[in-house]
Amino acid sequence: MAKTAIETLITLDNPVFKAYLFYNAILVAKMLSMSFLTARQRVAKGVFPNPEDIVLSPKSKIKVDEDVERVRRAHQNDLENITVYMVAAFGFVLTNPSPWLAINLFRAFTFARIAHTLVYAVVVVPQPARAIAFFVGTSVTIYMVAVSLKAFY
Ligand SMILES: N[C@@H](CCC(=O)N[C@@H](CS)C(=O)NCC(=O)O)C(=O)O
């Protein structure tokens, strides 16, 4: 029996879906690393959010710290952008795009989000570095949404 369009697209034999899963895995690992970056800052600065956290380290304080908050904002920005991208990119995969275009868009988004974290929470590069990284990622997502919507008309 002939395969449906979905069966030919949602398979590791489709290089676009394979690349989608590969770059998703990198993005998931990057997002998970944000929790460890936050914990590293908390331990380095001796600041924690809850009374039970400071029991093991009595010199620590329950305090809001600017360096910890910076990593938390970078993490939140990932949640705002990467989750939405993953949904948009899945819809884009279903439009059966050219492998060259799709794989380069997945790459561009992934590199942009890694750059966003680096310039926001690791080395702190002056603007517009973060804004550029954000707009590259967002442009990829908007493009994918536009292609998905166009498929309905
Ligand atoms: N929730 C974001 C929406 C706009 C946005 O994502 N801007 C990018 C480029 S300037 C950003 O990195 N914002 C910093 C942040 O979300 O903490 C904000 O409050 O800034």
Side-chain angles (χ1 to χ4, degrees):
M1 201 165 83
K3 286 186 173 175
T4 63
I6 295 286
E7 281 169 336
T8 57
L9 294 172
I10 311 302
T11 164
L12 291 178
D13 294 333
N14 176 6
V16 173
F17 186 62
K18 202 169 168 180
Y20 168 75
L21 292 182
F22 175 76
Y23 287 102
N24 269 11
I26 292 180
L27 288 164
V28 167
K30 196 220 79 64
M31 278 174 85
L32 284 175
S33 76
M34 300 310 288
S35 302
F36 294 99
L37 272 184
T38 310
R40 192 189 68 160
Q41 278 294 356
R42 287 200 182 285
V43 171
K45 303 295 286 284
V47 292
F48 294 91
N50 309 293
E52 65 272 25
D53 300 330
I54 60 170
V55 170
L56 293 174
S57 155
K59 281 191 187 154
S60 299
K61 295 189 182 75
I62 300 172
K63 199 177 134 200
V64 174
D65 177 88
E66 176 43 34
D67 293 334
V68 174
E69 291 310 302
R70 175 177 282 277
V71 184
R72 279 160 54 80
R73 288 194 298 275
H75 195 172
Q76 180 172 326
N77 198 274
D78 273 355
L79 290 165
E80 289 170 13
N81 289 279
I82 295 178
T83 48
V84 172
Y85 155 84
M86 285 177 176
V87 176
F90 185 71
F92 181 64
V93 169
L94 296 182
T95 67
N96 196 15
S98 110
W100 182 89
L101 175 67
I103 292 167
N104 280 304
L105 288 175
F106 300 152
R107 274 189 194 135
F109 183 87
T110 304
F111 286 130
R113 290 313 305 183
I114 291 171
H116 185 274
T117 298
L118 291 177
V119 302
Y120 200 3
V122 180
V123 277
V124 188
V125 178
Q127 286 280 39
R130 171 162 44 90
I132 291 169
F134 168 80
F135 280 113
V136 169
T138 305
S139 304
V140 169
T141 304
I142 291 171
Y143 175 78
M144 289 176 169
V145 170
V147 171
S148 300
L149 284 174
K150 199 166 165 267
F152 288 92
Y153 296 99

